[in-house]
Amino acid sequence: MRVLITGAAGFIGSHIADQLDERGHETVRMDNLLPKAHGPQATDENVVLGDIRDPALLDDLLRGVDVVCHQAAVVGHGVDPTDAPDYALHNDYGTAVLLAAMYRAGVHRLVLASSMVVYGEGRYTCPNHGVVRPGPRRQSEIDSGRYEPPCPTCGAALSPGLVPEDAPIDPRSTYAATKAAQEFLASAWARQTGGRVWALRYHNVYGPRMPRDTPYAGVASLFRSSLERGDPPTVLEDGNQRRDFVHVTDIARANASALETPAPPGALTPLNICSGIPHTVGDLATELAKACAGPPPRMVGGSRPGDVRHVVADPARAQRLLGFRPETDFTDGIADFATAPLRAPAAVA
């Protein structure tokens, strides 16, 4: 099988390329080496340097390709809303250019890197009203240390649960909005062309080759960077935010399985790529500090605009349709991550 991987030099894309090599597939790799994700040493002679927004380049690279693995994106929380044009140009316009090129080339299969951020807040149950969708948390409540979202109807305390793929999409950040838009674009393309799309909604990915020292990195990388400076990891809120941390090698295996397994035709099929096992952000900071023999985390309260309280997903559909189950235990994965190579410091454009 011949696979075009966009973002192939990146954190996740490079692991997917390794996984496909091990399985004997032929890969065509492209990346534009955005400084938000790559340090100056991020070069690979097997990667074509180019922009996903270049239709002529895509027309050339898509010749003979069976399936596209679309990982190229600006990721992370970013700096502030001035990032929005950059996110939209790379993530959404870039995806639209890719989909048009796939149509011209007659390529009908896509594996799209999506994210759990499309859900916004996770799934909650009220003792009085069953499953409910909490609204955005008020800043005044966060400032006073009340972090849990209440029932929007009666104000009762909610119990967080596992989010299924049919949960409403409710993005709370610029990045989240662009990932939701990518899904909508790919879904429209599939309906128009009879194409087949898996949208892999990654949960909190960590592992070797994460970019470091950049606001576009994931929380595990930010904690590790602090510890390498001798500083305690800084944890917002009270550290009890629930997340699902997934090792990058498991993400790569999920992509390989999706590339080898055609999705249902004529629509987009989302899959949670997760463990289904919740851990708190405080758990992550504590385990990583221990593994790095560094200072314990510092809880500072507050939150960033758009932050959500709990997001842990239901892994059943990916297990059923792809046979995917993560293999890396949380404690073992964090111990490995404590000494794993990260990408060189990346400039912020």
Side-chain angles (χ1 to χ4, degrees), residues 229-271:
R229 295 191 301 268
D231 298 328
T234 299
V235 181
L236 298 177
E237 302 185 21
D238 58 0
N240 290 323
Q241 311 94 302
R242 288 156 46 106
R243 297 291 188 269
D244 193 319
F245 297 99
V246 187
H247 197 269
V248 67
T249 55
D250 287 321
I251 295 290
R253 287 192 309 102
N255 273 274
S257 295
L259 290 162
E260 293 169 346
T261 308
L268 176 143
T269 303
L271 297 176

Side-chain angles (χ1 to χ4, degrees), residues 85-108:
D86 212 25
Y87 275 101
L89 278 171
H90 287 280
N91 297 1
D92 298 335
Y93 179 68
T95 297
V97 174
L98 174 64
L99 293 170
M102 290 176 64
Y103 175 70
R104 290 193 300 272
V107 179
H108 301 292

Side-chain angles (χ1 to χ4, degrees), residues 319-333:
Q319 292 175 1
R320 185 176 72 253
L321 297 183
L322 292 185
F324 170 74
R325 288 177 173 80
E327 295 179 353
T328 305
D329 171 79
F330 175 75
T331 302
D332 293 340

